[in-house]
Amino acid sequence: MRRLYRDFLIRDWTADDRTAAAAIIRSVLAEYGLGWEPEGADRDVLQVEACYQAVGGEFWLIEQQGKLLGTGAYYPIQRGQKAVEIRKMYLLPEARGQGLGRFLLEALEATIAVRHFEQIWIETASVLAEAVKLYESSGYEPATGIETERCDRVYLKVLTSRRL
């Protein structure tokens, strides 16, 4: 998968990205006072092959002029009906405020819809105010059933099938 947004490239993860992806996520979490959990909530970043690729999910990297600036991913989950969870949507500060987050979310949603999933779940923390605003303005509704300890919000979006 390769998509362009302005001069940003969104592409599939490779094993060479493991350290850089972890560093991006660790940095953004620290910026917001949240902890990096390599044995818990962030184990999936260190085990992308098992946690995403082996179960039918995808993990993407965002780069600009060869520098990695963000991540975004999803994988199928058992919660809900034909459901996925969007995870690891993180952008470094220099990539924010340009519409990239919305573009990334819409690209993830489009990919998920093409794969015939019906529900998208997202867990986040209130301190990630920009993310909360993005999800709420993109049609995600508050839900219940938080599964990640550092998160205090969960959202659900039901995809509607379009009849031709």
Side-chain angles (χ1 to χ4, degrees):
M1 190 288 301
R2 294 175 74 86
R3 291 185 191 203
L4 289 173
Y5 177 76
R6 298 183 183 177
D7 61 342
F8 295 97
L9 171 65
I10 302 172
R11 63 167 177 80
D12 286 323
W13 180 89
T14 69
D16 292 340
D17 297 320
R18 191 179 323 274
T19 301
I24 289 167
I25 294 166
R26 186 180 306 117
S27 172
V28 174
L29 289 169
E31 177 186 350
Y32 288 90
L34 299 171
W36 166 253
E37 300 174 9
E39 302 297 321
D42 301 308
R43 179 183 65 84
D44 58 330
V45 178
L46 303 174
Q47 301 175 11
V48 169
E49 297 89 345
C51 294
Y52 292 90
Q53 295 172 331
V55 298
E58 296 184 58
F59 196 103
W60 300 345
L61 276 290
I62 297 94
E63 64 179 69
Q64 183 182 47
Q65 299 171 352
K67 181 181 180 191
L68 294 178
L69 297 174
T71 61
Y74 73 91
Y75 56 52
I77 58 173
Q78 295 303 310
R79 171 179 13 194
Q81 178 75 21
K82 292 186 181 178
V84 298
E85 182 176 349
I86 288 180
R87 294 183 50 83
K88 305 306 182 208
M89 266 192 61
Y90 293 102
L91 296 175
L92 292 176
E94 58 264 40
R96 296 182 201 148
Q98 303 174 62
L100 179 60
R102 184 167 303 280
F103 181 85
L104 176 61
L105 181 61
E106 290 171 357
L108 286 163
E109 290 175 349
T111 299
I112 290 164
V114 166
R115 297 193 58 205
H116 305 291
F117 289 103
E118 296 175 5
Q119 296 181 344
I120 302 173
W121 293 80
I122 297 177
E123 292 189 18
T124 193
S126 294
V127 69
L128 299 170
E130 298 94 336
V132 169
K133 183 178 177 184
L134 173 63
Y135 302 143
E136 289 179 352
S137 69
S138 298
Y140 287 82
E141 297 290 332
T144 58
I146 296 168
E147 297 177 346
T148 306
E149 193 171 311
R150 73 172 170 232
C151 295
D152 63 354
R153 292 176 180 251
V154 62
Y155 290 96
L156 170 64
K157 185 173 191 176
V158 176
L159 300 177
T160 56
S161 57
R162 296 186 177 118
R163 299 188 187 270
L164 299 176

